[in-house]
Amino acid sequence: DPARAVGGDFYDAKMLDEDRLLLVIGDVTGKGVPAALYMALSKGLAKSILTRGGESLADAVISLNRELLSEADEAMGVTMLIAVLDCSSGAMTIVNAGHENPIVRDSSGAVSSFPMRGGPPFCVADFPYEDERLTVEPGTLV
């Protein structure tokens, strides 16, 4: 029973500098201890690769996927929604790797899904993930 209480969902937020906030939301396939261990690996690699700087978010995500591919067996996979928000301008760069699209609530209270092209979950194939952009206006929740 205790092994079923752990799993592979995770999230993280980290300031990259004075203005930019990195957000990572993920879900590893499976349940229990194997999913929790793969989640810890995925979260650690994501934080390490995505906070290095010097490349676009999409390029960093492609590197992350390649690293996870080298560590996974056929039964493992992970979806991630990764975003960098420029808090001073509201510009958000997002990459979706098989995760659900973000939900946006604008300042009037209207709720919608932000449509994304995205790509497959990590550990499926080497894939050319692309940056997608969203502007977060004052009063908007993502």
Side-chain angles (χ1 to χ4, degrees):
D1 286 340
R4 301 298 298 167
V6 296
D9 298 343
F10 65 94
Y11 64 91
D12 205 353
K14 178 174 177 46
M15 292 301 296
L16 297 174
D17 56 35
E18 289 182 7
D19 293 321
R20 296 179 310 130
L21 174 66
L22 171 68
L23 303 163
V24 180
I25 301 169
D27 186 13
V28 173
T29 57
K31 296 288 181 211
V33 174
L37 291 172
Y38 197 67
M39 177 274 297
L41 171 70
S42 300
K43 186 176 179 181
L45 281 172
K47 188 176 245 182
S48 173
I49 292 171
L50 298 170
T51 59
R52 283 185 200 154
E55 57 187 346
S56 73
L57 181 60
D59 288 341
V61 168
I62 290 166
S63 296
L64 173 59
N65 182 44
R66 288 178 179 153
E67 191 67 34
L68 288 169
L69 270 167
S70 72
E71 298 291 332
D73 63 30
E74 346 27 89
M76 287 298 177
V78 59
T79 67
M80 280 192 211
L81 186 64
I82 302 166
V84 174
L85 173 64
D86 184 317
C87 298
S88 63
S89 70
M92 181 179 271
T93 304
I94 309 172
V95 177
N96 189 339
H99 208 71
E100 294 182 23
N101 289 338
I103 303 296
V104 178
R105 181 176 160 249
D106 67 24
S107 57
S108 72
V111 177
S112 62
S113 174
F114 176 66
M116 297 188 72
R117 289 179 308 277
F122 292 139
C123 306
V124 172
D126 195 6
F127 186 82
Y129 295 95
E130 295 180 13
D131 289 338
E132 298 184 56
R133 307 228 187 276
L134 169 67
T135 299
V136 180
E137 301 291 337
T140 300
L141 301 174
V142 180

